[in-house]
Amino acid sequence: KNCPCFIEGDPLMCAIVGELFKKCGAFVHHINPKYKTNNHLAAVIASNHLITLLAYAQECLHANGLSDKENLKILINLMYSTLQNIEHSQSTQKSLTGPIVRGDQKTLEKHFSIIESPILKQIYSTLSLAAIEIALLDDKTHTTLKNIIFKQR
């Protein structure tokens, strides 16, 4: 229910399949077959990679003394709040928060100092670089934060 479904192909078959999906509560979108892979890539990033990020975020919370179940609930609530902010603002750029947007060099350095996993360090540095590109930063802050990240790689 409420799942986006992208369909392409024969117009008659798309109409039939589209109606079946709608009866199941899906949101049906007709796409150009040329961009099918783009749509699938977006779905994998927004769904599967979100789960991967959640798993690594849970690992970061292991030392806090709470159960995995409690930590998962905390992170899911944070994710819901973030998604609601995006929905309300209709902008990923306006919804971005955290040390990158604040230009908070010390917090960024502290985060890198506690990351032990090479994979998590790679994820954190890559996503931080991506956040720098999304954030509205002045040139000096942009360069300073990128330099901090590149030192960690």
Side-chain angles (χ1 to χ4, degrees):
K1 191 170 183 173
N2 296 328
C3 180
C5 293
F6 295 96
I7 59 175
E8 50 90 10
D10 176 75
L12 179 60
M13 292 308 295
C14 283
I16 293 168
V17 170
E19 284 305 312
L20 291 173
F21 283 151
K22 285 178 187 176
K23 285 180 181 179
C24 295
F27 298 109
V28 178
H29 305 276
H30 296 271
I31 61 164
N32 183 330
K34 181 174 159 182
Y35 302 110
K36 184 176 180 176
T37 302
N38 298 63
N39 286 287
H40 190 250
L41 174 62
V44 168
I45 292 170
S47 182
N48 299 1
H49 290 179
L50 180 65
I51 293 167
T52 304
L53 290 174
L54 180 58
Y56 277 95
Q58 260 189 296
E59 275 189 34
C60 294
L61 292 180
H62 278 149
N64 71 6
L66 300 175
S67 70
D68 285 345
K69 189 175 180 179
E70 289 171 304
N71 285 331
L72 183 61
K73 185 174 182 173
I74 289 166
L75 293 169
I76 288 172
N77 286 336
L78 176 62
M79 293 167 94
Y80 273 130
S81 176
T82 300
L83 291 172
Q84 288 171 341
N85 289 342
I86 296 167
E87 184 176 43
H88 176 73
S89 71
Q90 290 296 296
S91 168
T92 52
Q93 191 176 47
K94 290 177 184 174
S95 302
L96 193 61
T97 63
I100 298 295
V101 173
R102 294 191 308 270
D104 187 346
Q105 301 167 37
K106 288 183 182 179
T107 297
L108 196 57
E109 289 169 340
K110 282 182 188 177
H111 289 173
F112 276 113
S113 75
I114 65 165
I115 297 173
E116 295 176 7
S117 163
I119 293 172
L120 180 57
K121 186 171 278 194
Q122 184 67 35
I123 291 169
Y124 189 76
S125 63
T126 300
L127 290 176
S128 294
L129 287 170
I132 288 170
E133 298 307 317
I134 295 170
L136 298 170
L137 300 172
D138 60 72
D139 289 342
K140 182 182 177 193
T141 304
H142 185 275
T143 302
T144 301
L145 294 178
K146 279 180 108 172
N147 288 339
I148 290 169
I149 295 164
F150 283 124
K151 281 186 213 171
Q152 299 298 323
R153 294 184 119 193

